[in-house]
Amino acid sequence: MKIKVELVFNLFYDMFMTDSVIIDLLVLSLLLAVNFRLFFMTRGQRDVVVLLAPVALCICLLGLFAWDLSLPKALILLLAFFVFAENFHSLWRFCSKLYVDYFSPVLWLVSIVNILLIVALGVLVFLLRPLPVDPDLQVTQRTIALSGSVRSGLTPRKGFFDTADVMMVQYKPAQENSPWSERGARLENPTGFQEILPSLPLVLWVTDGRSSVSRVEPVAATLASLGYEVVVADFNRQLIETAVLRVQGLFFPHKIIERQATLQQESSFQYSALIDYFGGERGLAGRKVVLLADGYTGEGAKSTNEMHSFVSGFFIINGDDSLGNHNPIPDWTNGFGPVGETAPWIPVVMKHKSLLESRDESRFYSIAAAHKSHQFFSTLFATKEEL
């Protein structure tokens, strides 16, 4: 049994599946079974299969909390809700221990339409599936849920029922491949002599509200593999507010422009709160600290850099940096991250690209963003040392 499970697991991941996509396909499979039952259930049977409708809806809702809200997930949730509502009468009959009498013509028609929609959605989910992080990158990651706010301060969530107001992920190079060690840790060199190595340069990144930690993960992981501790924080944990912001970013970009000043100011507070979480100037003494940004958080990084003298500088992907340079990345979607890898459906919606054109199999954008950031940080640190 274990061998079979591992074979299925490897099959999915060899096809560039991610956990989120596997869950989406699982939900669609359950919905397909609910609608297909009309073709094989006979009179006098108990309608057990209909129980998969609420199961699919629950899995779909839980998936929204585990992963990002996206257009495919929203469509699947909508379909799951309709299938649940359409089969509510059948659920009631099953709970009342009644047997199948007959299925109404309306339910037959609706089920056939649902089957066609489920198959179409399944094909879209597969074609627009995100790429997992490059497995060749030797990095480790740690996810920390934080409670609090930018005003009251952030602390690690202690209890299960405490709110997760900020989701933070730390990326570091794998120890055996890292030229750095943890601050104050002793590592043995090949000669057997123990020495204290400097800590990793710290990169702080607050995500744009139109993006998330998982959307920018390829950039963060690639940058970490180059010898940095990259901390990505997502302050946009309000489901409805985040959904509105993303819908505006996709279909009504002028709304984002109207709110830009407020959003930029909020991102400045968020960067400062993240710095305070690490102890501020005192807690980060002796470390090289830089800020990374994308989209409207760029102005927040810029103002935060001006407020904190111990921060070495900032770099805005496809934007300016603290040395006055502009760093263009052709066809980068500001504020959304490397969508060709993590959300291929966004270029289809925003830029009207074909399904094949929307996927970035070469990982060009995440590699370009990470390496441009690395080149700037290296130049920045060298410049600071010369002064």
Side-chain angles (χ1 to χ4, degrees):
M1 182 64 183
K2 182 179 179 182
I3 295 176
K4 290 182 180 179
V5 171
E6 289 185 355
L7 284 174
V8 173
F9 178 86
N10 290 330
L11 174 64
F12 276 131
Y13 276 81
D14 286 343
M15 295 168 67
F16 295 112
M17 292 287 190
T18 63
D19 294 339
S20 175
V21 175
I22 293 173
I23 292 299
D24 289 343
L25 294 178
L26 171 63
V27 171
L28 290 173
S29 299
L30 295 176
L31 296 177
L32 191 63
V34 172
N35 287 278
F36 244 112
R37 81 189 195 284
L38 275 69
F39 293 92
F40 59 81
M41 291 207 64
T42 58
R43 187 172 182 176
Q45 288 182 309
R46 291 198 68 187
D47 193 1
V48 181
V49 182
V50 75
L51 293 177
L52 296 179
V55 171
L57 182 60
C58 288
I59 294 175
C60 199
L61 288 171
L62 290 173
L64 291 181
F65 294 97
W67 292 284
D68 300 327
L69 177 67
S70 63
L71 184 60
K73 273 190 166 33
L75 293 175
I76 293 172
L77 176 61
L78 193 63
L79 184 59
F81 176 78
F82 277 121
V83 170
F84 173 77
E86 292 156 2
N87 288 275
F88 186 79
H89 179 69
S90 297
L91 281 167
W92 176 81
R93 288 182 60 85
F94 176 83
C95 294
S96 301
K97 298 182 180 181
L98 298 176
Y99 293 92
V100 173
D101 187 8
Y102 71 97
F103 295 113
S104 68
V106 174
L107 187 60
W108 272 97
L109 178 61
V110 169
S111 294
I112 292 172
V113 173
N114 285 342
I115 290 171
L116 296 176
L117 290 175
I118 290 167
V119 171
L121 262 178
V123 172
L124 281 176
V125 167
F126 179 79
L127 292 177
L128 297 176
R129 66 195 183 279
L131 293 174
V133 174
D134 188 350
D136 294 332
L137 295 177
Q138 298 297 312
V139 297
T140 61
Q141 71 177 70
R142 178 188 176 204
T143 302
I144 304 172
L146 304 178
S147 296
S149 67
V150 295
R151 291 171 178 80
S152 63
L154 302 174
T155 57
R157 186 178 66 171
K158 297 179 181 179
F160 180 79
F161 294 102
D162 292 343
T163 59
D165 301 299
V166 179
M167 194 60 66
M168 184 179 76
V169 182
Q170 294 174 299
Y171 301 88
K172 296 181 182 180
Q175 196 68 32
E176 61 270 19
N177 295 321
S178 173
W180 311 91
S181 73
E182 295 294 324
R183 180 169 49 180
R186 295 180 178 272
L187 296 181
E188 286 192 3
N189 63 20
T191 63
F193 176 75
Q194 287 190 335
E195 59 180 346
I196 297 179
L197 298 177
S199 60
L200 291 166
L202 177 62
V203 180
L204 300 179
W205 187 356
V206 172
T207 60
D208 187 294
R210 295 163 290 183
S211 184
S212 65
V213 174
S214 59
R215 292 265 181 92
V216 303
E217 187 172 56
V219 180
T222 304
L223 185 58
S225 71
L226 298 174
Y228 298 86
E229 177 184 354
V230 183
V231 175
V232 186
D234 182 2
F235 284 78
N236 304 285
R237 305 300 298 168
Q238 300 296 324
L239 185 62
I240 296 178
E241 184 179 337
T242 301
V244 170
L245 188 62
R246 291 181 180 177
V247 168
Q248 289 177 342
L250 282 171
F251 302 106
F252 310 100
H254 64 279
K255 294 288 186 180
I256 300 296
I257 296 174
E258 292 173 2
R259 300 174 56 188
Q260 195 161 348
T262 302
L263 294 171
Q264 290 170 349
Q265 186 178 35
E266 287 178 357
S267 66
S268 177
F269 295 150
Q270 291 164 358
Y271 273 108
S272 295
L274 194 58
I275 289 173
D276 291 340
Y277 173 78
F278 284 94
E281 183 173 5
R282 185 175 181 179
L284 295 170
R287 294 201 68 175
K288 297 174 180 176
V289 182
V290 288
L291 307 179
L292 186 60
D294 175 31
Y296 66 70
T297 61
E299 286 299 317
K302 182 178 180 180
S303 60
T304 305
N305 178 68
E306 294 171 351
M307 289 188 293
H308 300 280
S309 59
F310 62 92
V311 175
S312 298
F314 66 87
F315 181 89
I316 304 173
I317 299 174
N318 196 38
D320 300 331
D321 59 47
S322 53
L323 295 181
N325 305 311
H326 186 67
N327 306 277
I329 298 178
D331 208 28
W332 177 271
T333 309
N334 286 341
F336 289 88
V339 291
E341 292 177 53
T342 56
W345 57 272
I346 290 181
V348 175
V349 174
M350 292 188 67
K351 301 180 179 180
H352 307 294
K353 289 187 175 183
S354 68
L355 297 180
L356 296 177
E357 291 176 329
S358 65
R359 285 177 63 79
D360 181 18
E361 298 279 358
S362 66
R363 306 178 192 273
F364 167 79
Y365 294 103
S366 62
I367 293 173
H371 280 267
K372 280 181 178 286
S373 305
H374 171 57
Q375 291 170 3
F376 168 73
F377 294 146
S378 300
T379 302
L380 180 67
F381 295 149
T383 302
K384 294 283 185 180
E385 289 174 0
E386 291 175 0
L387 296 177

